[in-house]
Amino acid sequence: MKLKDCHNFEDFRKLAKKKLPSPIFHYIDGGADDEVTLNRNTSSFNDYDLVPSVLNDVSNIDMSTTVLGEKIDFPLFPAATAMHRLYHHEGERASAKAAEKMGTIFGTSTMGTVSIEEIAKVNKGPKLFQLYIHKDRGLTDNLLERCKKAGFSSMCLTVDTVVAGNRERDRRTGFTTPPKLTLGSLLSFALHPGWTINNLIHEKFKLANIVHMTQKGTSIDKSVIDYINEQFDPAMNWKDAEYCVKKWNGPFALKGVMSVEDAKKAIDIGCTAIMISNHGGRQLDGSRAPFDQLAEIVDAVGDKIEVILDGGVRRGTHVLKALCIGAKACSFGKGYLFALAAGGQKGVEKILENMKTEINRDMKLMGCKNLGELNRSKLIHRK
Amino acid sequence: MNLKDCHNFSDFKKLAKKKLPSPIFHYIDGGADDEITLNRNTSSFNDVDLVPNVLRGVEDVDLSTTIFGKKIDLPFYCASTALQRLFHYDGERAVGKAAQKFNTMFGVSALSTVSVEEIASLIDTPKMFQFYFHKDRGLNDAVLERVKAAKFDVMALTVDTITGGNRERDLRTGFTSPPKLTLSSLFSFASKPMWGINYLTKGKFELPHLQDHVSEGTNIATSIGDYFSTMLDQSMNWKDAEKLCSQWGGHFALKGIMSVEDAKRAVDIGCSGIMVSNHGGRQLDGSRSPFDQLAAIVDAVGDKMDVICEGGIQRGTHILKALSIGAKACSGGRLYLYALAGAGQAGVERALSQYRAEIERDMKLMGCNKISDLNRNNLRYRKI
Ligand SMILES: Cc1cc2nc3c(=O)[nH]c(=O)nc-3n(C[C@H](O)[C@H](O)[C@H](O)COP(=O)(O)O)c2cc1C
Ligand SMILES: Cc1cc2nc3c(=O)[nH]c(=O)nc-3n(C[C@H](O)[C@H](O)[C@H](O)COP(=O)(O)O)c2cc1C
């Protein structure tokens, strides 16, 4: 299997599985507890059907939209995710370049492995930084200031990770600290020499944004779970979020809002957008899927704040369905991460290209010329 | 597979399967008829989703709740289950001590294999005795007096076993009377020698609450189904329950209430709580799952008595969902029984500590600091 054989999410996933040592593959692929929410995130889209209109002259389709103050070519962007250099030795450089080339926002995580400054060098397009509030509050200020200076266009604060989710695959594969080298995981690293060699010969793995601030940032012989539980501040509250909004003084999103009550508070503290998200099913299993919750949120706050759907998106039609309900745009994580693992920058470009093509084709088949024409009359809930 | 590899319910189940002779494993694991209710008990939780709140400041989370007048540190407890020394030679001693360590309620079955007196001497945390109403009234009175003397905190009368459920796995494996030693069950006992050795050497197997009264009490050469059908009083009615309740004179619960009408009558006869339960799917197959029925019961009597949601629980989030609907606490059997079979007291402790960790993590992810923060606003039913 090669990159050119990757036509959809499942293909990229398969190729990533082939290329990655299994603990790393399962770190991307897995969810919390029984993965009920992980699975529902995608299956929720299938409870709704699209109803096309025909004979509408669809020779020209405009897929562009404006989110977080930036115009993007199509309504999907890569969500901020941790540690890209684990998946491909070029890491965030590859994904950042791909996003710029495809004309969409690039999201990068506090837990990134290429620094804010370097990303700004390789990506001149719209960039979003995803903030985690650490117990060390000095780190928050430092990150906000560096992003401003580096020219990031928007900021997002993740609020669904006050404690790490129960990712049982990681416990089994030994994606923990110190790297639990079980016979199985050792074997898996040995069986994926390409990954292992690249990992060894390229620069040392580090959490580039926070390496100077914390001891913990210097290596990955700390599990992500332990890192989150030791470093992130569970006392984080609305005052802290408001502080960040004010300090950033630009387009700001809260990532991981699920209740209407919280969506309203996000407006009160001056946010530009909320990302309806359960962290891709990696945190609270049994929690509602973003798509299931979308209508309720849009009805309450859709006219006052940008609503971005994050989680479970695998197909162009999923994006269309979310936009029909009233989302401004969607973001996705696993899709482009598998593509990154499968083929570096080329891989990410390819999956973004695929999704863009799907959205374009699906718009035509729906008889819609621009995103504004997508609305709830085009969507029926299957009883 | 070892105890340290057990991260969740199904891991413990695998370990138990490895350790137990198969008739005993299937006695725990199985349900009635086609096991539709057994399975629904768990899957019902997946038709409802949690909606978290964020930015609530959740560094400290209080998991305690008060049921039957007793404060317990966890919002769930160990339901009373029979014959625990069949599962592990320490039996109720192991479960009781583990429950004490976590300061939660320990339910002791009428068919327990360690006496109430011994349990009372072992643990001083809240204890519940589960009562079966026998035809022999002398036996009933004697048991009640013993439990009273042992200073148990709660008495729960089980009302869903008026006759034995149709547990077909037991018919097949030979968990019947006299032990039907089929070729495969013989093989299974022989292939788990440690279980056999412990069973034979760690003290005689007894049913201490029954043995002075009936010959059936002295060994398990009668099946549980036969016991229910021959020894329990099928004429048991609301008057009997009411009489027992006043005879006990303390916190009294009915275990196995499913209808709103019965829940209201439980209030009328003076109960302080009910367990919404179908006996873990072991009695009437096709009956409604506790979680599916919970809202209706809570709406009717939730302000007048403690409503316990019992059965099907395999995750911390299941407990959170039941509490959000209005249960005062949850209880479960298999959630600690596989762990008991797998590794005795250490196993039960590991299971309880994992559930505690899950609930604590899930509370934080829900943005809740205490159990009473959970409510129906946090839940959405999936459209069907
Ligand atoms: C491997 C991986 C790492 C992630 N790291 C982060 C992170 O550092 N910060 C964050 O806010 N979200 C993180 N996420 C969540 C994503 O931003 C996004 O919410 C999620 O992947 C969306 O679901 P999807 O994967 O179904 O598209 C991560 C997700 C994955 C799969
Ligand atoms: C092996 C086993 C033995 C049980 N014995 C009794 C018993 O003696 N008395 C009783 O009232 N309930 C008994 N139960 C039912 C439990 O108290 C409880 O209702 C049930 O286990 C809850 O379902 P769960 O196993 O899915 O948590 C038993 C259950 C099991 C699995």
Side-chain angles (χ1 to χ4, degrees):
Chain A
M1 171 162 231
K2 298 225 159 61
L3 196 57
K4 69 169 176 36
D5 305 317
C6 292
H7 304 297
N8 60 29
F9 178 90
E10 202 45 49
D11 295 336
F12 284 106
R13 182 174 174 275
K14 264 189 215 137
L15 185 52
K17 188 165 191 182
K18 204 176 111 185
K19 296 227 172 171
L20 289 174
S22 88
I24 297 179
F25 171 78
H26 288 292
Y27 170 67
I28 302 177
D29 196 50
D33 289 6
D34 301 311
E35 308 190 338
V36 173
T37 291
L38 170 68
N39 294 319
R40 178 68 191 166
N41 281 357
T42 296
S43 71
S44 55
F45 290 106
N46 295 337
D47 288 352
Y48 283 80
D49 294 315
L50 291 162
V51 185
S53 314
V54 296
L55 297 169
N56 269 350
D57 179 4
V58 288
S59 42
N60 288 307
I61 300 291
D62 178 6
M63 292 184 285
S64 70
T65 185
T66 300
V67 263
L68 288 161
E70 297 289 335
K71 184 159 183 243
I72 53 178
D73 292 353
F74 62 111
L76 176 70
F77 64 91
T81 54
M83 303 187 295
H84 289 192
R85 292 200 50 239
L86 271 188
Y87 325 131
H88 187 272
H89 60 272
E90 281 175 15
E92 286 81 358
R93 287 179 203 99
S95 27
K97 285 188 210 160
E100 179 185 18
K101 195 155 167 195
M102 293 305 303
T104 192
I105 296 177
F106 174 64
T108 192
S109 164
T110 297
M111 310 277 282
T113 47
V114 170
S115 73
I116 293 166
E117 292 75 16
E118 207 187 328
I119 286 173
K121 261 185 228 146
V122 299
N123 176 317
K124 301 293 173 200
K127 287 174 288 296
L128 164 137
F129 185 81
Q130 175 268 317
L131 186 67
Y132 278 129
I133 294 191
H134 286 60
K135 286 182 184 144
D136 173 359
R137 298 302 174 99
L139 185 55
T140 303
D141 285 354
N142 172 275
L143 291 169
L144 287 165
E145 283 155 18
R146 282 168 63 200
C147 287
K148 212 17 100 143
K149 211 166 137 208
F152 272 64
S153 49
S154 53
M155 181 61 56
C156 107
L157 173 65
T158 296
V159 288
D160 59 12
T161 317
V162 282
V163 59
N166 179 37
R167 311 196 189 148
E168 291 185 357
R169 292 206 220 176
D170 293 353
R171 290 177 198 251
R172 277 179 238 285
T173 60
F175 193 79
T176 57
T177 158
K180 207 163 72 193
L181 289 178
T182 60
L183 204 63
S185 74
L186 254 181
L187 192 70
S188 180
F189 281 94
L191 285 175
H192 298 84
W195 182 94
T196 307
I197 290 166
N198 276 325
N199 192 263
L200 291 173
I201 61 176
H202 290 89
E203 90 260 38
K204 189 156 170 273
F205 181 92
K206 57 184 187 296
L207 296 177
N209 296 322
I210 48 185
V211 61
H212 61 293
M213 302 288 290
T214 107
Q215 288 276 311
K216 306 283 175 350
T218 50
S219 79
I220 167 80
D221 54 34
K222 203 44 332 174
S223 80
V224 176
I225 306 278
D226 289 348
Y227 184 89
I228 291 172
N229 291 340
E230 282 170 21
Q231 301 288 314
F232 291 6
D233 193 350
M236 173 170 78
N237 59 34
W238 284 97
K239 281 226 151 45
D240 300 317
E242 190 169 9
Y243 171 85
C244 296
V245 174
K246 294 239 158 70
K247 176 142 179 103
W248 176 249
N249 192 26
F252 197 102
L254 284 186
K255 177 168 183 282
V257 167
M258 287 299 289
S259 77
V260 166
E261 191 186 332
D262 286 351
K264 290 182 177 159
K265 283 189 180 157
I267 299 172
D268 293 342
I269 65 164
C271 291
T272 326
I274 47 176
M275 292 165 186
I276 310 300
S277 172
N278 53 36
H279 216 98
R282 303 159 72 80
Q283 288 291 98
L284 181 66
D285 198 35
S287 68
R288 200 161 201 222
F291 186 69
D292 282 329
Q293 184 70 350
L294 185 60
E296 192 177 319
I297 302 268
V298 167
D299 289 344
V301 301
D303 53 341
K304 298 183 200 74
I305 195 166
E306 291 171 9
V307 178
I308 296 164
L309 178 125
D310 173 79
V313 173
R314 306 283 178 264
R315 284 286 184 193
T317 52
H318 297 164
V319 177
L320 259 56
K321 287 176 181 178
L323 267 55
C324 283
I325 295 212
K328 204 78 206 289
C330 297
S331 62
F332 72 147
K334 284 179 273 287
Y336 84 89
L337 288 178
F338 289 137
L340 174 65
Q345 181 181 342
K346 282 214 168 58
V348 181
E349 279 171 19
K350 182 155 169 103
I351 197 161
L352 289 172
E353 181 75 57
N354 282 2
M355 291 298 283
K356 191 174 170 180
T357 308
E358 281 195 16
I359 294 169
N360 184 284
R361 177 175 44 235
D362 299 335
M363 290 281 290
K364 290 183 176 171
L365 293 173
M366 283 295 291
C368 294
K369 293 195 258 302
N370 58 59
L371 302 181
E373 289 176 16
L374 295 167
N375 59 50
R376 290 195 199 172
S377 73
K378 304 213 159 9
L379 200 61
I380 292 188
H381 181 258
R382 206 185 291 163
K383 298 265 157 42
Chain B
M1 166 159 239
N2 288 315
L3 183 59
K4 69 170 176 34
D5 303 317
C6 292
H7 302 297
N8 62 29
F9 183 89
S10 49
D11 293 338
F12 282 112
K13 181 164 154 176
K14 267 186 218 141
L15 186 62
K17 190 164 191 181
K18 199 178 110 180
K19 297 247 172 154
L20 289 174
S22 89
I24 297 180
F25 171 78
H26 287 293
Y27 168 65
I28 301 176
D29 195 49
D33 290 3
D34 302 309
E35 306 191 340
I36 291 170
T37 292
L38 171 67
N39 294 320
R40 178 67 193 166
N41 281 357
T42 298
S43 70
S44 54
F45 289 103
N46 292 340
D47 287 349
V48 182
D49 293 312
L50 292 162
V51 180
N53 282 320
V54 297
L55 294 168
R56 290 301 192 274
V58 289
E59 65 274 48
D60 297 312
V61 172
D62 179 4
L63 303 182
S64 69
T65 184
T66 299
I67 51 168
F68 305 111
K70 289 278 162 188
K71 184 168 177 238
I72 52 177
D73 288 351
L74 299 174
F76 74 99
Y77 65 88
C78 303
S80 50
T81 57
L83 308 177
Q84 293 179 5
R85 293 198 55 239
L86 267 190
F87 316 142
H88 184 276
Y89 57 87
D90 278 339
E92 288 80 1
R93 292 179 195 107
V95 180
K97 284 195 250 172
Q100 164 162 272
K101 218 164 182 172
F102 289 82
N103 191 31
T104 191
M105 182 82 69
F106 174 41
V108 178
S109 165
L111 298 176
S112 79
T113 49
V114 173
S115 72
V116 285
E117 292 79 12
E118 189 183 340
I119 289 165
S121 75
L122 277 178
I123 69 170
D124 53 17
T125 39
K127 290 173 282 294
M128 171 188 299
F129 185 82
Q130 174 267 316
F131 197 89
Y132 275 135
F133 193 72
H134 296 84
K135 286 180 189 155
D136 178 348
R137 301 299 154 103
L139 167 59
N140 289 342
D141 290 345
V143 170
L144 196 106
E145 288 315 315
R146 279 176 74 180
V147 178
K148 220 184 245 183
K151 298 207 163 55
F152 272 53
D153 305 285
V154 192
M155 175 70 79
L157 172 65
T158 295
V159 289
D160 59 12
T161 50
I162 205 75
T163 184
N166 177 40
R167 312 203 184 144
E168 292 186 356
R169 293 207 221 175
D170 294 352
L171 300 180
R172 275 180 246 286
T173 60
F175 193 81
T176 56
S177 153
K180 204 162 70 194
L181 290 176
T182 61
L183 203 63
S184 75
S185 79
L186 250 183
F187 179 74
S188 174
F189 279 94
S191 67
K192 311 272 155 81
M194 271 326 288
W195 182 92
I197 290 165
N198 284 326
Y199 180 75
L200 293 172
T201 60
K202 304 275 172 157
K204 188 159 171 282
F205 185 85
E206 295 174 331
L207 296 173
H209 305 123
L210 306 181
Q211 61 195 6
D212 297 343
H213 298 270
V214 278
S215 55
E216 278 85 347
T218 49
N219 60 42
I220 55 154
T222 187
S223 79
I224 293 294
D226 288 353
Y227 164 83
F228 288 155
S229 306
T230 59
M231 307 246 333
L232 299 189
D233 188 348
Q234 301 203 358
S235 75
M236 177 170 72
N237 59 29
W238 283 96
K239 278 220 157 48
D240 298 317
E242 183 167 15
K243 219 175 112 207
L244 204 62
C245 177
S246 64
Q247 201 182 344
W248 172 250
H251 285 287
F252 190 87
L254 292 182
K255 178 173 181 297
I257 293 290
M258 287 301 292
S259 79
V260 166
E261 191 187 334
D262 284 353
K264 288 182 180 159
R265 287 180 90 162
V267 176
D268 293 341
I269 66 163
C271 292
S272 23
I274 49 173
M275 287 83 184
V276 181
S277 171
N278 54 37
H279 215 94
R282 302 159 74 80
Q283 290 292 102
L284 179 65
D285 197 32
S287 67
R288 195 158 158 88
S289 88
F291 184 69
D292 282 330
Q293 186 68 354
L294 186 60
I297 304 261
V298 167
D299 288 344
V301 301
D303 54 341
K304 300 184 194 75
M305 57 166 32
D306 292 345
V307 176
I308 311 289
C309 179
E310 176 178 281
I313 287 155
Q314 302 184 358
R315 282 290 182 189
T317 52
H318 298 165
I319 294 171
L320 260 58
K321 287 174 180 178
L323 297 172
S324 296
I325 287 186
K328 214 55 203 297
C330 294
S331 73
R334 297 177 184 88
L335 63 79
Y336 72 87
L337 284 175
Y338 297 124
L340 170 67
Q345 185 181 341
V348 179
E349 283 178 13
R350 184 172 168 104
L352 294 180
S353 98
Q354 277 172 6
Y355 285 108
R356 180 173 65 188
E358 282 196 13
I359 297 169
E360 189 178 327
R361 175 172 48 233
D362 299 336
M363 287 285 288
K364 289 182 178 183
L365 293 174
M366 283 297 291
C368 294
N369 294 297
K370 50 187 192 305
I371 300 298
S372 58
D373 289 347
L374 295 164
N375 60 62
R376 290 192 198 173
N377 262 341
N378 303 140
L379 293 181
R380 292 293 178 279
Y381 287 82
R382 287 194 194 160
K383 287 195 213 160
I384 11 157

